[in-house]
Amino acid sequence: MFGYPEPRRGLRCLATAALTSLFLSAVLPIAAQDVPLISGGAGFVTSTNAGNTTYIPVISPLLAAPLGEHFLVESRATILDSYFPKGRGQSGYTSSSFVGLSYLQLDYLANPHLTVVAGEFLTPFGTYNERLSPIWISNFESAPLIFSLGTMSTASSVGGMLRGSAFSNENVSLDYAAYFSAASTNEQFNSQRAAGGRGSLYFPKARVELGGSYGRLLQATHQNFSGIHLWWEPADALVKFRSEYAHGAHSQGYWMESEFHLAGASSGNALRRAVQPVVRWQQTFRSSPDPNDGLPGVDTKRVDLGLDFLLPHEVRINSSYSRQLSSAQNSNIWQTGIVYRFLFPTWRGK
Amino acid sequence: MTLNLSSRRFAATLALALSLASIPALSMRPERHQDGASSASRTDTTARPSTTERSGEAKFRQNCSRCHQAPQGFSPKISGTILRHMRVRAPLSAQDERGILRFLNP
């Protein structure tokens, strides 16, 4: 998401942000339930593609620190090592490290309908980037093939954003996000000059959400990106359905994911509550060459079949088999991951 | 680092081993932690709510559960911070935020 910056600078940046926000949280008056928190996930992922296996120990910490009654500092980072085959006929493995900030933002909760965000934030396009990308949430270890469309390749923006719930009652709610991002080549705050936004209608009784996204790249060759998403997660059914479609200047694609629950949350059968089969079907279409949009160079189909285990003590195990079909190459991809989610206050509080 | 393994077989074996290893864990009950810093116990999001919390629980299921499992327990000291974080990220309306906060801190 951020290239491969020098790890020390990323760690220094994260530590500075954490210490500053924690200090400010300590000196500003806050409610008893507003103690800053550290959350995130720590895990180990393996991915085998065309016979080559990559091993990835990863930790993704998240900091949230309220400042007074209206401000919140939030940040999430990813720290990982990748161990992968040397290739080119050489035996053995080599490794690379990666430290990157996913976001570091200051939120001002101006009123019940408006939050002003400044800093580096996740680009609001579609649903995957903001909602499903944390390692302790995602059902699959790999992002959808269309992930880079509309998120401007970096998935993060540096600038300002207005967002909030425009309208909400028991039948329907309308939320929005609109942003402007400056171009930045800084290793930790890498972004492209762009603008865009997203709007969603959510019908809580039917548990249906329908939304649209738009983004315009404002540097080099200007490009438009658009997308729609549909989520249907009926309350009484044991299945959740999520989908997205995105269209770019040179390619387009979609993904549809179904998550099955073998038993309801109140079921006494722990095994059936814990096992969660998931299926994701994806397709991308290439209309013209673009080596920078992140999608496969030729039309591609892919099915991901997963079996996830939601264990006690905040541990989850994801396992999946994917079959990717294209005129360039057919491949089998096996992925496994075990993730522990942590969540605790930074101090005892008042 | 040098590893000489049949990659695909190793990945399949690892997946099978993780699956088998999870079976004993499934029979364990999640602990209800005690926070040593105060007398307040950690918020247990799996506990059954009272009637007055039903609205907040409905808001929780309509919003939070759409993307992720509820944390199995956390300190009540951070419930406000969690809700403020989710109000920005979800985004929750101010009314839903208050309802869910009441559900988490009855």
Side-chain angles (χ1 to χ4, degrees):
Chain A
M1 230 181 270
F2 302 93
Y4 288 84
E6 193 220 327
R8 278 187 197 168
R9 291 188 62 175
L11 283 173
R12 201 179 306 148
C13 197
L14 180 64
T16 304
L19 288 174
T20 304
S21 53
L22 290 178
F23 172 75
L24 289 172
S25 293
V27 298
L28 291 170
I30 57 172
Q33 60 208 11
D34 289 345
V35 171
L37 64 84
I38 300 282
S39 183
F44 183 77
V45 175
T46 73
S47 178
T48 303
N49 189 346
N52 295 318
T53 300
T54 301
Y55 304 90
I56 309 171
V58 57
I59 182 167
S60 180
L62 181 154
L63 168 77
L67 305 174
E69 291 186 359
H70 292 281
F71 288 93
L72 178 69
V73 174
E74 301 179 89
S75 185
R76 192 177 85 206
T78 300
I79 304 163
L80 60 84
D81 271 318
S82 292
Y83 297 90
F84 48 88
K86 289 178 178 174
R88 295 182 180 177
Q90 293 181 286
S91 62
Y93 277 63
T94 186
S95 68
S96 69
S97 299
F98 170 74
V99 177
L101 283 174
S102 299
Y103 56 84
L104 172 57
Q105 64 188 63
L106 174 66
D107 308 325
Y108 171 56
L109 284 70
N111 63 48
H113 304 289
L114 173 66
T115 299
V116 181
V117 178
E120 183 189 38
F121 50 86
L122 296 176
T123 304
F125 188 95
T127 56
Y128 186 87
N129 192 28
E130 285 195 311
R131 299 185 193 173
L132 304 176
S133 60
I135 60 171
W136 61 95
I137 291 178
S138 54
N139 284 331
F140 293 99
E141 299 304 333
S142 57
L145 294 172
I146 61 168
F147 175 63
S148 57
L149 281 185
T151 55
M152 310 302 169
S153 301
T154 62
S156 296
S157 297
V158 176
M161 173 167 59
L162 304 177
R163 64 186 299 151
S165 173
F167 173 80
S168 178
N169 64 23
E170 61 181 12
N171 296 314
V172 64
S173 64
L174 170 65
D175 68 69
Y176 67 94
Y179 76 97
F180 175 80
S181 173
S184 171
T185 55
N186 181 286
E187 288 174 332
Q188 287 302 330
F189 302 101
N190 189 11
S191 68
Q192 305 207 57
R193 182 177 164 83
R198 183 190 58 221
S200 300
L201 273 174
Y202 176 49
F203 304 92
K205 288 181 178 172
R207 303 279 176 95
V208 171
E209 178 179 335
L210 180 63
S213 305
Y214 172 76
R216 181 163 176 80
L217 184 64
L218 298 170
Q219 66 183 55
T221 305
H222 292 198
Q223 295 180 22
N224 290 318
F225 298 90
S226 57
I228 56 172
H229 67 267
L230 172 66
W231 285 29
W232 181 49
E233 303 176 319
D236 299 326
L238 299 178
V239 63
K240 293 181 178 179
F241 174 81
R242 302 168 180 140
S243 64
E244 274 186 24
Y245 163 80
H247 183 278
H250 305 285
S251 57
Q252 59 182 315
Y254 68 86
W255 61 264
M256 297 186 292
E257 178 181 307
S258 293
E259 171 187 308
F260 301 94
H261 299 258
L262 304 182
S266 56
S267 166
N269 190 321
L271 181 63
R272 291 178 66 186
R273 273 204 323 269
V275 178
Q276 181 177 282
V278 284
V279 179
R280 184 172 64 185
W281 170 255
Q282 313 183 63
Q283 210 166 354
T284 64
F285 305 92
R286 170 67 60 188
S287 53
S288 54
D290 183 354
N292 300 317
D293 71 4
L295 267 67
V298 296
D299 293 358
T300 298
K301 299 173 188 171
R302 174 165 163 164
V303 61
D304 306 288
L305 306 170
L307 193 59
D308 297 344
F309 302 88
L310 311 176
L311 306 180
H313 309 290
E314 310 285 6
V315 174
R316 74 177 290 153
I317 294 172
N318 292 350
S319 60
S320 66
Y321 163 74
S322 306
R323 177 71 174 163
Q324 185 162 313
L325 305 169
S326 74
S327 57
Q329 185 186 17
N330 297 338
S331 59
N332 298 312
I333 303 161
W334 299 83
Q335 293 182 312
T336 58
I338 181 168
V339 176
Y340 167 67
R341 179 190 183 177
F342 49 88
L343 173 62
F344 50 84
T346 51
W347 66 69
R348 297 169 61 174
K350 298 168 184 170
Chain B
M1 179 179 178
T2 302
L3 292 173
N4 292 315
L5 297 167
S6 172
S7 302
R8 190 182 303 176
R9 196 174 303 158
F10 179 82
T13 307
L14 182 62
L16 183 62
L18 291 173
S19 305
L20 293 174
S22 69
I23 291 174
L26 291 171
S27 63
M28 299 165 64
R29 280 175 62 88
E31 288 177 23
R32 189 173 175 121
H33 302 277
Q34 291 294 318
D35 191 327
S38 74
S39 58
S41 63
R42 291 164 65 97
T43 298
D44 184 350
T45 54
T46 61
R48 291 189 182 281
S50 67
T51 308
T52 54
E53 299 158 18
R54 201 167 293 157
S55 171
E57 183 192 16
K59 298 290 184 189
F60 183 89
R61 301 206 183 286
Q62 286 172 357
N63 292 282
C64 314
S65 300
R66 296 166 61 206
C67 298
H68 59 80
Q69 302 289 321
Q72 290 165 7
F74 53 81
S75 166
K77 292 172 192 164
I78 56 174
S79 56
T81 307
I82 292 172
L83 263 296
R84 199 182 293 197
H85 168 72
M86 292 315 302
R87 177 174 162 185
V88 177
R89 198 138 304 276
L92 297 174
S93 68
Q95 185 182 359
D96 288 350
E97 181 192 12
R98 284 194 297 273
I100 296 170
L101 189 57
R102 275 198 297 273
F103 167 59
L104 296 177
N105 278 330

